Amino acid sequence: MTTKSAAAASVATVYGYPRQGRGRELKKAIEGYWKGTVTADALLATAADLRRGNWQQLADSGIAEVPTGDFSLYDHVLDTTVALGAIPARHREAVEADALDGYFAMARGTQDVAPLEMTKWFDTNYHYLVPELGPDTVFAANPAKAVGELREALLRGHRARPVLVGPVTYLLLAKPAPGVAADFRPITLLDRLLPVYAQLLAELRAAGAGWVQLDEPALVQDRTPAELNAAARAYRELGALAERPKLLVASYFDRLGEALPVLAKAPVEGLALDFTGPAAANLEDLAAVGGLPGKRLVAGVIDGRNVWINDLEKSLSTLATLLGLADRVDVAPSCSLLHVPIDATLERDIDPQIARWLAFAKQKAAETALLARGLREGTGAITAELAANRADLASRATSPITRDPAVRARAAAVTADDTRRAQPYPVRAEAQRARLGLPLLPTTTIGSFPQTTELRTARADLTAGRIGAPAYRERMEAEVREVIAYQEKAGLDVLVHGEPERNDMVQYFAEQLTGYLATRHGWVQSYGSRYVRPPVLAGDISRPNPMTVDWFRYAQGLTDRPVKGMLTGPVTMLAWSFVRDDQPLADTARQVALALREEVTDLEAAGAAVVQVDEPALRETLPLRAAARPAYLDWATEAFRLATSGVRADTQIHTHMCYAEFGAIMTAIDELDADVISLEATRSHMEVAGELAEAGYPREVGPGVWDIHSPRVPGTEEVVSLLRAGLAAIPAERLWVNPDCGLKTRGWPETRASLDSLVAAARRLREELAD
């Protein structure tokens, strides 16, 4: 192996690409299918057109090897479950009757059958559907999707590499199926699963695959010796197969650490490693194990999760070092480009100077191709591009947009007293009960009510100038009146104004804070057909004016019941934005927290007895490696307390979290010092209530009793059953009754029916507790 030969062979590739289309065509087709206005054939035709368009766009950008199989109608982990035949028993009848409807039943549930649990994909805001496995699980290969999409790409003349979730990661992401012992470990099914992977690989080879990528991101987390041995066994067996393509085992999001020597020794032809952020340590680790002699290295040197342009010279330096560590070095982003928007050139409202700092998926593909060219032909071949890149990086570093001395001075002046409530929780709880006068098992919702077509149309009309601000305000006030009146009639105890004026729980605030940029077309998939537009955090943060106080005053003036002030917490404001990469996240979090602190105290001054500051991303942003977690949790919980600790004892602070594994952060949840926390609990069957009880959590809790990400309406008996499970862990004096999450994605008929069940269940249990 020589450095020259490794460079000469270098090509550009990516692990995955955004699925939705430039105009979110996939979302519209899927939701049309659910409504019955789009046929199955039309939906599948739209998906095929988008796949082909993605491959062509990548090829036009200079990507020599395109991925296949990364495209999904809902979720790539669910696609893997289908490919492995691991259909839960309760969904088999639906899948056998109609494969497409059965697929969506697993994702969303039906009125009669609950969906698969949904949680976050590692430390991203993408949600995957959790496989459910047990000792009786029987796997069976279903290669239709993987083979079909490979053939599509090959027929169009592309050099294609199928992508599958690897066997070890698939099992490590899985949970015991309902009714299976909680201590069952899905990884024990590895020997049963590997022959199915062998069959899939054989089918792909027969269809023309030269390489297949097996994604193993779970190996970047702390793993036990038994799990590492399982990975070694898996790739020893797959590598020994006679009828298989070449194997590229991919990892991303962090360093491989102790799993690196395991994979480096495995009889596979290539490894794909992340070399950005904390994963930059992979470079030193790779050198320490002697590199990858005789193997292909795909080097992820472009951040696939953020939107800033790459430092091309820095990446070329990393690549030059890697040339001595592998037989062939190819260039890629650090992970799938699923996590960034499609094309920065669509953002015509952003200052042109700032726009030059941005790179979305299309631009990242072009950067990848440019680096591969520079590696093959030398930097002299890309001199002009390197000079332009240096100028853009310097422009950002020296721009006054990025630094506000007043904001930085205020953040530096924060003291420990600013980050703690003046009174301990027992004193606060007594004062709050006296002020609020709530019954046992108080009922509430998380914040948003249905975002109807009429509301979205009004927002679009305002943006397009078809209506003015007064007419828009009038329309939103009418919605608030309706929402408040409905909640009073339904019998809810603590009300919300419904958030009709909010486009998104992060974007709404970002548009009112300095330092943030909003996009018009920067859509990113969160789950299924749900897409969000993360704002871009470009500079120092401050709050010029109150953001929610007028809406709170209006809503509270319509009722005698308490209305919650509703805010998004500092960690979530970062996690669901594209953050700065030029300063520590802790510094940015403190700036956001100070802006929110002003809003919280203004809400209290306006009469708010309850203020909810949502932090659904606290668990999501937890570092994948345990060693990095204490520092993160220190600044993350401090930021929340800084935002919420400036209020009186009788002002009740709520927070909310959803769709994450909470067990790893129980101590941090306590450190938030919120008076009430509401959490997703329905799909996990109230598991979190037991976790909180086991951890000795001392404050009030609202474990969700209605899964709002499914169209099914829970009956009263179902909610009563969940509440009884909650009461088995949490005393009635500290238990709230609420949905899993906000209701913006639901329709009014199911909202009314579900909340009727929720209120009726709470009333029944109150009566039982009173007897």
Side-chain angles (χ1 to χ4, degrees):
M1 180 189 74
T2 67
T3 299
K4 183 176 180 180
S5 64
S10 295
V11 300
T13 189
V14 302
Y15 308 154
Y17 206 65
R19 302 160 178 164
Q20 68 268 26
R22 288 164 66 94
R24 290 183 295 158
E25 293 87 353
L26 185 63
K27 171 186 174 68
K28 295 167 187 174
I30 289 172
E31 293 180 352
Y33 178 73
W34 293 340
K35 294 174 184 176
T37 60
V38 172
T39 67
D41 287 345
L43 167 59
L44 296 177
T46 297
D49 287 344
L50 290 171
R51 284 195 299 272
R52 294 162 189 161
N54 283 353
W55 296 328
Q56 192 59 53
Q57 187 173 114
L58 287 169
D60 291 345
S61 296
I63 299 300
E65 185 180 61
V66 302
T68 65
D70 62 301
F71 189 93
S72 178
L73 293 177
Y74 203 97
D75 166 48
H76 57 274
V77 181
L78 178 60
D79 295 343
T80 308
T81 292
V82 173
L84 299 175
I87 311 300
R90 66 182 182 278
H91 295 294
R92 285 176 195 154
E93 183 177 348
V95 171
E96 289 169 1
D98 186 288
L100 185 59
D101 287 345
Y103 176 87
F104 286 130
M106 287 189 284
R108 306 172 70 232
T110 66
Q111 184 56 41
D112 300 320
V113 181
L116 291 166
E117 183 178 344
M118 185 165 65
T119 195
K120 300 293 178 69
W121 175 250
F122 297 92
D123 58 346
T124 75
N125 189 37
Y126 177 81
H127 302 64
Y128 74 94
L129 289 155
V130 182
E132 295 177 356
L133 306 176
D136 297 330
T137 297
V138 176
F139 298 107
N142 179 2
K145 178 180 185 295
V147 168
E149 293 180 12
L150 170 64
R151 285 177 173 157
E152 283 181 29
L154 294 176
L155 283 171
R156 292 184 171 268
H158 299 294
R159 177 178 169 186
R161 183 186 70 250
V163 178
L164 298 171
V165 176
V168 179
T169 289
Y170 182 79
L171 293 175
L172 290 173
L173 292 178
K175 295 184 69 172
V180 172
D183 61 354
F184 171 74
R185 297 177 61 248
I187 194 67
T188 59
L189 300 176
L190 181 64
D191 290 337
R192 193 183 305 175
L193 181 61
L194 289 177
V196 179
Y197 269 87
Q199 185 176 344
L200 292 173
L201 291 171
E203 295 276 2
L204 288 167
R205 181 177 183 269
W211 285 83
V212 169
Q213 177 179 321
L214 295 174
D215 283 0
E216 293 288 6
L219 295 180
V220 306
Q221 297 174 297
D222 299 307
R223 290 298 168 197
T224 66
E227 291 165 343
L228 293 172
N229 287 337
R233 187 168 78 256
Y235 286 99
R236 185 168 60 246
E237 293 191 19
L238 293 178
L241 295 171
E243 298 296 321
R244 68 166 178 85
K246 294 179 181 179
L247 297 181
L248 176 71
V249 182
S251 68
Y252 37 82
F253 300 148
D254 211 318
R255 61 190 289 254
L256 264 176
E258 58 274 16
L260 179 56
V262 172
L263 295 180
K265 295 175 185 176
V268 299
E269 288 75 19
L271 292 186
L273 301 179
D274 184 350
F275 293 97
T276 66
N282 274 328
L283 179 58
E284 182 178 338
D285 294 346
L286 188 61
V289 300
L292 301 174
K295 293 187 178 182
R296 174 188 187 186
L297 171 64
V298 178
V301 293
I302 291 173
D303 188 347
R305 295 176 55 177
N306 214 330
V307 296
W308 304 109
I309 56 172
N310 181 254
D311 184 334
L312 296 177
E313 290 182 325
K314 180 179 178 182
S315 292
L316 283 169
S317 175
T318 299
L319 291 166
T321 302
L322 292 171
L323 286 175
L325 297 174
D327 188 55
R328 167 181 162 190
V329 177
D330 292 332
V331 186
S334 62
C335 61
S336 171
L337 296 176
L338 170 73
H339 304 289
V340 294
I342 292 177
D343 186 358
T345 64
L346 299 176
E347 303 302 328
R348 297 184 178 91
D349 295 338
I350 292 178
D351 182 313
Q353 178 192 12
I354 299 174
R356 291 187 62 83
W357 307 342
L358 301 178
F360 293 177
K362 183 177 180 180
Q363 289 72 41
K364 289 181 184 295
E367 288 179 329
T368 303
L370 185 68
L371 288 170
R373 182 184 168 204
L375 205 57
R376 288 192 308 270
E377 302 176 17
T379 57
I382 57 171
T383 300
E385 291 89 343
L386 292 176
N389 179 247
R390 275 195 304 273
D392 290 338
L393 292 170
S395 167
R396 181 179 171 213
T398 58
S399 172
I401 295 170
T402 61
R403 299 182 69 86
D404 183 332
V407 170
R408 290 173 178 262
R410 188 176 172 216
V414 169
T415 68
D417 288 344
D418 295 323
T419 65
R420 291 288 179 185
R421 297 285 289 271
Q423 303 85 8
Y425 172 71
V427 173
R428 303 196 313 258
E430 184 176 349
Q432 290 159 18
R433 288 176 187 139
R435 181 179 182 185
L436 293 169
L438 299 173
L440 279 178
L441 307 179
T443 56
T444 190
T445 64
I446 303 305
S448 59
F449 266 71
Q451 284 274 329
T452 63
T453 299
E454 292 77 13
L455 291 176
R456 291 193 295 269
T457 299
R459 190 172 299 117
D461 287 345
L462 177 68
T463 301
R466 291 186 290 268
I467 62 174
Y472 177 74
R473 175 84 188 196
E474 183 178 339
R475 177 66 188 88
M476 296 302 108
E477 286 181 351
E479 184 72 13
V480 172
R481 290 194 299 271
E482 181 177 340
V483 167
I484 293 291
Y486 162 72
Q487 291 173 93
E488 287 189 321
K489 183 178 179 181
L492 290 162
D493 299 304
V494 177
L495 313 187
V496 298
H497 81 288
E499 305 177 11
E501 79 289 356
R502 302 190 188 183
N503 44 20
D504 175 81
M505 66 180 292
V506 172
Q507 182 182 346
Y508 176 77
F509 294 100
E511 289 174 344
Q512 300 182 73
L513 295 169
T514 63
Y516 269 103
L517 304 173
T519 69
R520 291 177 64 88
H521 305 282
W523 297 102
V524 176
Q525 186 179 20
S526 179
Y527 65 88
S529 68
R530 167 76 169 146
Y531 290 84
V532 295
R533 281 185 296 164
V536 178
L537 219 167
D540 289 340
I541 302 299
S542 61
R543 185 197 74 148
N545 298 293
M547 301 178 286
T548 66
V549 175
D550 284 348
W551 289 109
F552 165 77
R553 282 200 185 101
Y554 182 75
Q556 188 64 80
L558 299 171
T559 180
D560 292 331
R561 299 184 193 185
V563 175
K564 289 193 282 192
M566 298 296 306
L567 304 173
T568 301
V571 175
T572 302
M573 288 293 295
L574 268 61
W576 295 356
S577 301
F578 294 114
V579 296
R580 302 177 67 162
D581 59 358
D582 59 346
Q583 69 179 19
L585 276 177
D587 293 354
T588 307
R590 178 170 284 195
Q591 292 179 4
V592 176
L594 286 168
L596 293 174
R597 183 182 179 95
E598 293 177 336
E599 189 73 11
V600 171
T601 55
D602 280 353
L603 283 166
E604 181 185 59
V610 182
V611 179
Q612 182 171 309
V613 182
D614 291 343
E615 281 292 22
L618 181 69
R619 170 63 179 86
E620 167 191 317
T621 317
L622 189 71
L624 298 177
R625 290 280 179 174
R629 292 175 179 177
Y632 159 74
L633 291 172
D634 281 349
W635 67 253
T637 55
E638 178 191 87
F640 180 88
R641 295 194 310 271
L642 178 60
T644 57
S645 292
V647 295
R648 304 189 309 263
D650 63 353
T651 297
Q652 191 173 71
I653 296 294
H654 288 224
T655 192
H656 170 69
M657 299 180 187
C658 59
Y659 296 97
E661 299 291 339
F662 300 111
I665 59 165
M666 283 299 166
T667 300
I669 289 174
D670 189 26
E671 278 294 305
L672 295 177
D673 199 22
D675 300 305
V676 182
I677 183 169
S678 55
L679 305 105
E680 175 272 326
T682 308
R683 292 199 186 190
S684 58
H685 312 289
M686 205 55 70
E687 181 180 284
V688 72
E691 292 174 341
L692 287 165
E694 185 176 346
Y697 187 74
R699 288 176 282 278
E700 298 181 32
V701 181
V705 294
W706 166 27
D707 174 16
I708 65 85
H709 289 95
S710 169
R712 59 186 303 275
V713 173
T716 300
E717 295 301 327
E718 180 178 333
V719 178
V720 166
S721 177
L722 283 167
L723 286 174
R724 290 194 198 285
L727 285 166
I730 299 166
E733 294 76 15
R734 294 197 285 112
L735 190 70
W736 286 65
V737 183
N738 47 257
D740 277 337
C741 201
L743 309 179
K744 67 184 297 182
T745 61
R746 302 271 53 95
W748 268 106
E750 60 195 296
T751 293
R752 293 188 182 97
S754 299
L755 289 179
D756 284 348
S757 296
L758 184 151
V759 172
R763 284 175 176 164
R764 183 190 300 181
L765 288 174
R766 283 177 199 154
E767 292 170 0
E768 292 181 9
L769 291 166
D771 290 341

